[in-house]
Amino acid sequence: MNQSFLRWAGSKKQILSILGEYWNDEYRYIEPFAGSACFFFYLQPNKAILNDINKELILTYREVKYRLPNLVNCLSKFKTGRSEYYKVRSMDQSKMTAIERAARFIYLNRLCYNGLYRTNSAGIFNVPYGGNDKKDIIKYDILKSCSRSLKNAKLMSKDFERVLEI
């Protein structure tokens, strides 16, 4: 199950096996622009730093890492479909718990157009619906595997230059 639970534009998913040929367990794994972290989940290194300036993404990784059962429970309450997608997208994050925000993030990621992450100038997610009402939102086996892998990762949300100084 060495795959990410997220979709992400610009992902390395198509070239994981090629990149993996260059990996050596003696290397230090640092991902300054984590995105879907598909290479991290593919390799499952014993120790890693995952960073992204996107605080909602890192919050989601933390919730998957530490509170997966609660997250899955929250995620299971969402319904699929165009109108539901726009309802969830319009929710006010400032009134949500960390679990609810992470569930919303995964939901939007799974149903949005092409796994894009884009916000407007007010910081509000604004990617349109992706058009697949049958999309499987909860992939529990993948989430569980990712949760285990994240136990070996330090999660950060800093400017990439600061992470590379570590």
Side-chain angles (χ1 to χ4, degrees), residues 60 71 74-75 78 98-108:
T60 300
L71 176 61
C74 188
L75 192 54
F78 292 126
I99 287 282
E100 291 168 335
R101 286 170 49 201
R104 177 183 179 268
F105 188 94
I106 294 169
Y107 175 89
L108 293 174

Side-chain angles (χ1 to χ4, degrees), residues 11-54:
S11 168
K12 300 172 198 82
K13 185 178 180 179
Q14 302 300 320
I15 58 170
L16 291 176
S17 60
I18 295 167
L19 293 173
E21 292 176 21
Y22 296 95
W23 175 254
N24 181 323
D25 286 330
E26 295 175 19
Y27 296 149
R28 185 173 169 206
Y29 191 95
I30 300 174
E31 185 71 59
F33 309 103
S36 71
C38 66
F39 192 50
F40 165 79
F41 291 120
Y42 176 78
L43 292 175
Q44 297 186 349
N46 292 326
K47 191 174 180 184
I49 296 174
L50 296 178
N51 178 73
D52 204 287
I53 199 74
N54 184 332

Side-chain angles (χ1 to χ4, degrees), residues 2-3 46 63 66 69 78-79 97 102 120 126 130 137 150 154:
N2 299 355
Q3 60 185 353
N46 292 326
E63 296 305 310
Y66 294 115
F78 292 126
K79 297 176 183 146
T97 65
N120 62 20
N126 65 359
I137 304 300
L150 287 167
K154 181 176 182 177

Side-chain angles (χ1 to χ4, degrees), residues 2-165:
N2 299 355
Q3 60 185 353
S4 179
F5 61 95
L6 295 172
R7 302 164 53 224
W8 210 261
S11 168
K12 300 172 198 82
K13 185 178 180 179
Q14 302 300 320
I15 58 170
L16 291 176
S17 60
I18 295 167
L19 293 173
E21 292 176 21
Y22 296 95
W23 175 254
N24 181 323
D25 286 330
E26 295 175 19
Y27 296 149
R28 185 173 169 206
Y29 191 95
I30 300 174
E31 185 71 59
F33 309 103
S36 71
C38 66
F39 192 50
F40 165 79
F41 291 120
Y42 176 78
L43 292 175
Q44 297 186 349
N46 292 326
K47 191 174 180 184
I49 296 174
L50 296 178
N51 178 73
D52 204 287
I53 199 74
N54 184 332
K55 292 182 184 334
E56 289 301 306
L57 173 64
I58 297 301
L59 173 131
T60 300
Y61 283 138
R62 283 191 180 111
E63 296 305 310
V64 169
K65 179 178 180 175
Y66 294 115
R67 288 171 280 286
L68 183 61
N70 295 346
L71 176 61
V72 168
N73 183 48
C74 188
L75 192 54
S76 69
K77 295 175 184 173
F78 292 126
K79 297 176 183 146
T80 58
R82 178 180 296 278
S83 63
E84 283 297 316
Y85 174 84
Y86 287 107
K87 280 184 202 173
V88 173
R89 193 181 86 168
S90 69
M91 290 176 168
D92 184 353
Q93 288 180 253
S94 68
K95 297 178 182 174
M96 301 172 87
T97 65
I99 287 282
E100 291 168 335
R101 286 170 49 201
R104 177 183 179 268
F105 188 94
I106 294 169
Y107 175 89
L108 293 174
N109 174 266
R110 300 297 305 158
L111 292 178
C112 74
Y113 180 76
N114 280 350
L116 293 174
Y117 185 87
R118 180 185 68 205
T119 59
N120 62 20
S121 60
I124 297 170
F125 183 82
N126 65 359
V127 178
Y129 179 63
N132 188 348
D133 291 344
K134 306 283 189 231
K135 187 71 103 175
D136 185 15
I137 304 300
I138 302 172
K139 295 187 174 199
Y140 187 73
D141 290 343
I142 295 171
L143 280 165
K144 192 173 176 182
S145 174
C146 290
S147 180
R148 280 192 302 268
S149 296
L150 287 167
K151 303 283 189 237
N152 298 325
K154 181 176 182 177
L155 301 170
M156 303 171 71
S157 185
K158 299 180 183 269
D159 182 273
F160 77 96
E161 289 176 330
R162 289 192 174 194
V163 173
L164 294 178
E165 291 171 355

